[in-house]
Amino acid sequence: TGYFGSVTKSAVAAWQSAMSVSPAAGYFGPLSQAKYSSMVAGAPAPAPAPVPGGGPVMLQGSGLTVSAGVQPPEALAPNGAARIPFTKVVLTASADGDVMVKSVTVERQGVGTDAALDEVVLLDEDGIQVGLGKTLNSNHQVILNEPFTVKAGTSRTMSLGASRPASDSTSVAGQIIRLALVAVDSGSAAVHGSLPIVGNGMTMNATLTLGSVTNQTGSYKTVATTTEDIGKTAFKFTSVRITAGSQEKVRVWSIRWNQVGSAGIGDIANVKTVVDGTKYDAVASSDGKYYTSKFGSGIVLDKGASAEIYVEGDIMGGANRTIKFDLYRTTDLAVSGETYGYGITPPPSGTGFT
């Protein structure tokens, strides 16, 4: 309380007696102060406060530099092509801490129409889609808001891309479209660099025939009424079977599962995607609803060949909750053709698909 009364005086006197400070008068004078200072000087430094989760404190970087990368060359953008890279950008974090990029804003430019693009996407260094693709708004822009981190003192090269409709509802063939990075939200980190950054123009094409895949639910189709025990490990939640068409061999790069059940991210652990007995880690999105697995250099399927892909995990909690995995969009299965190299958009229908 700040009040020095009889109780405090008695306590100080007891301490003085225990520390051999004489006389033990009950007042904290020069002799007592010198004794206390000598004790504090010899004491070990206090341990730092623990960090929630047990990890080190990560400092937020003060700045993010945005610059143009080596741009993809001008090329055709055929009907049905998925994740075509239009513009490369390099993001470099300051040396004083990691920088989390919360969103990027992309604008459609050039002599073309918004209808020529099915959705705009963000691609990482491996060409794997980050977050969901989005359609252009009335300002010809999209805000791609799946957060990603640039480590302190390092750079990441990301691509702004787009997917084309399977067929044009309007005549867009010959239009030349560009994608521009017009804004970056990096929270408290200051953004440095000159915007917009605009890539080369891509020519809309309606005559080139790309490869194809068909899809159907696999052997492990999710059954909503199944009851499983908490603690079960490597449980197979669901699967999809894809088959390459006759036009060209295909390469499967990644898959993004959508967990649409009521279970939270803490209810499921050790999520893996399994293909032909090989298990690939599945990385959860920031909201815990999407799990993405990358297949390294890709899984090649010959013309007419099939592969079954399933997702498994450990059930850690969530009594009376549900776990249900599916594909939110067919482009969440990243496939490209081996002949032309374009991404392929799987069809929205197939046995067991709606």
Coordinates of all heavy atoms in Angstrom, one line a residue, residues 134-188:
K134 N -10.0 -15.9 -57.5 CA -11.2 -15.0 -57.4 C -11.5 -14.3 -58.8 O -10.6 -14.2 -59.6 CB -10.9 -13.9 -56.4 CG -10.8 -14.4 -54.9 CD -10.8 -13.3 -53.9 CE -10.7 -13.9 -52.5 NZ -10.7 -12.8 -51.5
T135 N -12.8 -14.0 -58.9 CA -13.2 -13.3 -60.2 C -13.0 -11.8 -60.0 O -13.1 -11.2 -58.9 CB -14.7 -13.7 -60.5 OG1 -15.5 -13.3 -59.4 CG2 -14.8 -15.2 -60.7
L136 N -12.9 -11.2 -61.2 CA -12.7 -9.7 -61.2 C -13.9 -9.0 -60.8 O -15.1 -9.4 -61.2 CB -12.3 -9.3 -62.6 CG -10.9 -9.8 -63.1 CD1 -10.7 -9.8 -64.6 CD2 -9.8 -9.0 -62.4
N137 N -13.8 -7.9 -60.1 CA -14.9 -7.1 -59.7 C -15.2 -6.0 -60.7 O -14.6 -6.0 -61.8 CB -14.7 -6.5 -58.3 CG -13.5 -5.6 -58.2 OD1 -13.0 -5.0 -59.2 ND2 -12.9 -5.4 -57.0
S138 N -16.1 -5.1 -60.4 CA -16.5 -4.0 -61.3 C -15.4 -3.1 -61.6 O -15.4 -2.3 -62.6 CB -17.7 -3.3 -60.8 OG -17.4 -2.7 -59.5
N139 N -14.3 -3.0 -60.8 CA -13.1 -2.2 -61.0 C -12.0 -3.0 -61.8 O -10.9 -2.5 -61.8 CB -12.6 -1.7 -59.7 CG -13.5 -0.7 -59.0 OD1 -14.2 0.1 -59.7 ND2 -13.6 -0.8 -57.7
H140 N -12.4 -4.2 -62.2 CA -11.4 -5.0 -63.0 C -10.3 -5.5 -62.0 O -9.2 -5.7 -62.5 CB -10.9 -4.3 -64.2 CG -11.9 -3.5 -65.0 ND1 -12.9 -4.1 -65.6 CD2 -12.0 -2.2 -65.2 CE1 -13.7 -3.2 -66.2 NE2 -13.1 -2.0 -66.0
Q141 N -10.6 -5.6 -60.8 CA -9.6 -6.0 -59.8 C -10.0 -7.2 -58.9 O -11.2 -7.5 -58.8 CB -9.3 -4.8 -58.8 CG -8.6 -3.6 -59.5 CD -8.3 -2.5 -58.6 OE1 -8.8 -2.5 -57.4 NE2 -7.5 -1.6 -59.0
V142 N -9.0 -7.8 -58.3 CA -9.3 -8.8 -57.3 C -8.3 -8.6 -56.1 O -7.2 -8.1 -56.3 CB -9.1 -10.3 -57.8 CG1 -10.1 -10.6 -58.9 CG2 -7.7 -10.5 -58.3
I143 N -8.8 -8.9 -54.9 CA -7.9 -8.9 -53.7 C -7.7 -10.3 -53.3 O -8.6 -11.0 -52.9 CB -8.5 -8.0 -52.6 CG1 -8.7 -6.6 -53.0 CG2 -7.6 -8.1 -51.4 CD1 -9.4 -5.7 -52.0
L144 N -6.5 -10.8 -53.5 CA -6.1 -12.2 -53.1 C -5.6 -12.1 -51.7 O -4.5 -11.5 -51.4 CB -5.1 -12.7 -54.1 CG -5.5 -12.7 -55.5 CD1 -4.4 -13.2 -56.4 CD2 -6.8 -13.6 -55.7
N145 N -6.3 -12.7 -50.7 CA -6.0 -12.4 -49.3 C -5.6 -13.6 -48.5 O -5.9 -13.7 -47.3 CB -7.2 -11.7 -48.6 CG -8.5 -12.4 -48.8 OD1 -8.5 -13.5 -49.4 ND2 -9.6 -11.9 -48.3
E146 N -5.0 -14.6 -49.1 CA -4.4 -15.7 -48.3 C -3.0 -15.3 -47.8 O -2.1 -15.0 -48.6 CB -4.3 -17.0 -49.2 CG -3.7 -18.2 -48.4 CD -4.5 -18.7 -47.3 OE1 -5.7 -18.5 -47.3 OE2 -3.9 -19.3 -46.4
P147 N -2.8 -15.1 -46.5 CA -1.6 -14.6 -46.0 C -0.4 -15.5 -46.3 O -0.6 -16.7 -46.4 CB -1.8 -14.5 -44.5 CG -3.3 -14.5 -44.3 CD -3.8 -15.4 -45.4
F148 N 0.8 -14.9 -46.6 CA 2.0 -15.7 -46.7 C 3.1 -14.9 -46.1 O 3.0 -13.7 -46.0 CB 2.3 -16.1 -48.2 CG 2.5 -15.0 -49.1 CD1 3.7 -14.5 -49.4 CD2 1.4 -14.4 -49.7 CE1 3.9 -13.4 -50.3 CE2 1.6 -13.3 -50.6 CZ 2.9 -12.8 -50.9
T149 N 4.2 -15.6 -45.8 CA 5.3 -14.9 -45.1 C 6.6 -14.9 -45.9 O 6.9 -15.8 -46.6 CB 5.6 -15.7 -43.7 OG1 4.5 -15.6 -42.9 CG2 6.8 -15.0 -43.0
V150 N 7.3 -13.7 -45.8 CA 8.6 -13.5 -46.4 C 9.6 -13.5 -45.3 O 9.5 -12.6 -44.4 CB 8.7 -12.3 -47.3 CG1 10.0 -12.2 -48.0 CG2 7.6 -12.3 -48.4
K151 N 10.5 -14.4 -45.2 CA 11.4 -14.5 -44.0 C 12.4 -13.3 -44.1 O 12.7 -12.7 -45.1 CB 12.2 -15.8 -44.1 CG 11.3 -17.0 -44.1 CD 10.5 -17.2 -42.8 CE 11.3 -17.6 -41.6 NZ 10.5 -17.8 -40.4
A152 N 12.9 -12.9 -42.9 CA 13.7 -11.8 -42.7 C 14.9 -11.9 -43.7 O 15.6 -12.9 -43.7 CB 14.2 -11.7 -41.3
G153 N 15.2 -10.8 -44.4 CA 16.4 -10.7 -45.3 C 16.3 -11.6 -46.5 O 17.4 -11.7 -47.2
T154 N 15.2 -12.2 -46.8 CA 15.1 -13.0 -48.0 C 14.0 -12.5 -48.9 O 13.3 -11.6 -48.6 CB 14.7 -14.5 -47.6 OG1 13.4 -14.5 -47.1 CG2 15.7 -15.0 -46.5
S155 N 14.0 -13.1 -50.1 CA 13.1 -12.7 -51.2 C 12.2 -13.9 -51.6 O 12.6 -15.1 -51.5 CB 13.8 -12.2 -52.4 OG 14.5 -11.0 -52.1
R156 N 11.0 -13.6 -52.0 CA 10.1 -14.6 -52.6 C 9.7 -14.1 -54.0 O 9.3 -12.9 -54.1 CB 8.9 -14.9 -51.7 CG 9.3 -15.6 -50.4 CD 8.1 -16.2 -49.7 NE 7.5 -17.3 -50.5 CZ 6.4 -18.0 -50.1 NH1 5.8 -17.7 -48.9 NH2 5.9 -18.9 -50.9
T157 N 9.7 -15.0 -55.0 CA 9.2 -14.6 -56.3 C 7.9 -15.2 -56.5 O 7.7 -16.5 -56.5 CB 10.2 -15.1 -57.4 OG1 11.5 -14.5 -57.2 CG2 9.7 -14.7 -58.8
M158 N 6.8 -14.4 -56.6 CA 5.5 -14.9 -56.8 C 4.9 -14.5 -58.1 O 5.4 -13.5 -58.7 CB 4.6 -14.3 -55.7 CG 5.1 -14.4 -54.3 SD 5.2 -16.1 -53.7 CE 3.5 -16.4 -53.1
S159 N 4.0 -15.2 -58.6 CA 3.4 -14.9 -59.9 C 1.9 -14.6 -59.8 O 1.2 -15.3 -59.0 CB 3.6 -16.1 -60.9 OG 4.9 -16.3 -61.1
L160 N 1.5 -13.6 -60.6 CA 0.0 -13.3 -60.7 C -0.4 -14.1 -61.9 O 0.2 -14.0 -63.0 CB -0.2 -11.8 -60.9 CG 0.5 -10.9 -60.0 CD1 0.2 -9.5 -60.3 CD2 0.1 -11.2 -58.5
G161 N -1.4 -15.0 -61.8 CA -1.8 -15.8 -62.9 C -3.3 -15.8 -63.1 O -4.1 -15.1 -62.3
A162 N -3.8 -16.5 -64.1 CA -5.2 -16.5 -64.3 C -5.6 -17.9 -65.0 O -4.7 -18.5 -65.7 CB -5.7 -15.4 -65.2
S163 N -6.8 -18.3 -64.8 CA -7.3 -19.4 -65.5 C -8.4 -19.0 -66.5 O -9.1 -18.0 -66.3 CB -8.0 -20.4 -64.5 OG -7.0 -20.9 -63.6
R164 N -8.5 -19.7 -67.6 CA -9.4 -19.3 -68.7 C -10.6 -20.2 -68.6 O -10.6 -21.4 -68.2 CB -8.7 -19.5 -70.1 CG -7.6 -18.6 -70.3 CD -8.0 -17.3 -71.0 NE -8.3 -17.7 -72.4 CZ -9.5 -17.5 -73.1 NH1 -10.5 -17.1 -72.4 NH2 -9.6 -17.8 -74.3
P165 N -11.8 -19.7 -69.0 CA -13.0 -20.5 -69.1 C -12.8 -21.7 -70.1 O -12.0 -21.6 -71.0 CB -14.1 -19.6 -69.6 CG -13.5 -18.2 -69.4 CD -12.0 -18.3 -69.5
A166 N -13.5 -22.8 -69.8 CA -13.4 -23.9 -70.7 C -13.8 -23.6 -72.1 O -13.3 -24.1 -73.1 CB -14.3 -25.1 -70.2
S167 N -14.8 -22.7 -72.2 CA -15.2 -22.2 -73.6 C -15.7 -20.8 -73.4 O -16.2 -20.4 -72.3 CB -16.4 -23.0 -74.1 OG -17.5 -23.1 -73.3
D168 N -15.5 -20.0 -74.4 CA -15.9 -18.5 -74.3 C -17.4 -18.4 -74.5 O -17.9 -18.8 -75.5 CB -15.1 -17.7 -75.3 CG -13.6 -17.6 -75.0 OD1 -13.3 -17.6 -73.8 OD2 -12.8 -17.6 -75.9
S169 N -18.0 -17.7 -73.5 CA -19.4 -17.3 -73.7 C -19.5 -16.1 -74.6 O -20.5 -15.8 -75.2 CB -20.0 -17.0 -72.3 OG -19.3 -16.0 -71.7
T170 N -18.4 -15.3 -74.7 CA -18.3 -14.2 -75.6 C -17.1 -14.3 -76.5 O -16.2 -15.1 -76.1 CB -18.3 -12.8 -74.9 OG1 -17.1 -12.8 -74.0 CG2 -19.5 -12.6 -74.0
S171 N -17.0 -13.6 -77.6 CA -15.9 -13.8 -78.5 C -14.7 -12.9 -77.9 O -14.7 -11.7 -78.0 CB -16.2 -13.3 -79.9 OG -15.1 -13.4 -80.7
V172 N -13.7 -13.6 -77.4 CA -12.6 -12.8 -76.8 C -11.3 -13.2 -77.5 O -10.2 -12.7 -77.1 CB -12.4 -13.1 -75.3 CG1 -13.7 -12.6 -74.5 CG2 -12.1 -14.6 -75.0
A173 N -11.4 -14.1 -78.5 CA -10.2 -14.6 -79.1 C -9.4 -13.4 -79.7 O -10.0 -12.5 -80.4 CB -10.5 -15.6 -80.2
G174 N -8.1 -13.4 -79.5 CA -7.3 -12.3 -80.0 C -7.1 -11.1 -79.1 O -6.2 -10.3 -79.3
Q175 N -7.9 -11.1 -78.0 CA -7.7 -10.0 -77.0 C -6.3 -10.2 -76.3 O -5.9 -11.4 -76.1 CB -8.8 -10.1 -76.0 CG -10.2 -9.7 -76.5 CD -11.2 -9.6 -75.4 OE1 -11.0 -9.9 -74.2 NE2 -12.5 -9.3 -75.8
I176 N -5.7 -9.1 -76.0 CA -4.4 -9.2 -75.3 C -4.6 -8.6 -73.9 O -4.9 -7.4 -73.7 CB -3.3 -8.4 -76.1 CG1 -3.1 -9.1 -77.5 CG2 -2.0 -8.5 -75.3 CD1 -2.1 -8.4 -78.3
I177 N -4.4 -9.4 -72.9 CA -4.6 -9.1 -71.5 C -3.3 -9.1 -70.7 O -2.5 -10.0 -70.9 CB -5.7 -10.0 -70.9 CG1 -7.1 -9.7 -71.6 CG2 -5.8 -9.9 -69.4 CD1 -8.2 -10.6 -71.1
R178 N -3.2 -8.1 -69.8 CA -2.1 -8.1 -68.8 C -2.7 -8.1 -67.4 O -3.8 -7.6 -67.2 CB -1.3 -6.9 -69.1 CG -0.5 -6.9 -70.4 CD 0.2 -5.5 -70.6 NE 1.1 -5.6 -71.8 CZ 0.7 -5.4 -73.1 NH1 -0.6 -5.1 -73.3 NH2 1.5 -5.5 -74.1
L179 N -1.9 -8.6 -66.5 CA -2.2 -8.5 -65.1 C -1.2 -7.6 -64.4 O 0.0 -7.7 -64.6 CB -2.3 -9.8 -64.4 CG -3.4 -10.8 -64.9 CD1 -3.3 -12.1 -64.1 CD2 -4.8 -10.1 -64.7
A180 N -1.7 -6.7 -63.5 CA -0.9 -5.7 -62.8 C -1.0 -5.8 -61.3 O -2.1 -6.0 -60.8 CB -1.2 -4.3 -63.3
L181 N 0.1 -5.8 -60.6 CA 0.1 -5.7 -59.2 C -0.1 -4.2 -58.8 O 0.8 -3.4 -59.2 CB 1.4 -6.3 -58.6 CG 1.5 -6.2 -57.0 CD1 0.4 -7.0 -56.4 CD2 2.9 -6.5 -56.6
V182 N -1.2 -3.9 -58.2 CA -1.4 -2.4 -57.9 C -1.3 -2.1 -56.4 O -1.2 -0.9 -56.1 CB -2.8 -2.0 -58.5 CG1 -2.8 -2.1 -60.0 CG2 -3.9 -2.8 -57.9
A183 N -1.4 -3.1 -55.5 CA -1.3 -2.8 -54.1 C -0.9 -4.0 -53.3 O -1.2 -5.2 -53.7 CB -2.7 -2.3 -53.6
V184 N -0.2 -3.8 -52.2 CA 0.3 -4.9 -51.3 C 0.0 -4.4 -49.9 O 0.3 -3.3 -49.5 CB 1.8 -5.2 -51.5 CG1 2.2 -6.2 -50.5 CG2 2.1 -5.6 -52.9
D185 N -0.7 -5.3 -49.1 CA -0.9 -5.0 -47.7 C 0.0 -5.9 -46.9 O -0.2 -7.2 -46.9 CB -2.4 -5.3 -47.4 CG -2.7 -5.1 -45.9 OD1 -1.8 -4.7 -45.1 OD2 -3.9 -5.3 -45.5
S186 N 1.0 -5.3 -46.2 CA 1.9 -6.0 -45.4 C 1.8 -5.6 -43.9 O 2.8 -5.6 -43.2 CB 3.3 -5.9 -45.9 OG 3.7 -4.5 -46.0
G187 N 0.6 -5.2 -43.5 CA 0.4 -4.8 -42.1 C 1.2 -3.6 -41.7 O 1.2 -2.6 -42.4
S188 N 2.0 -3.7 -40.6 CA 2.8 -2.6 -40.1 C 4.1 -2.4 -40.9 O 4.7 -1.4 -40.7 CB 3.1 -2.8 -38.6 OG 3.9 -4.0 -38.5

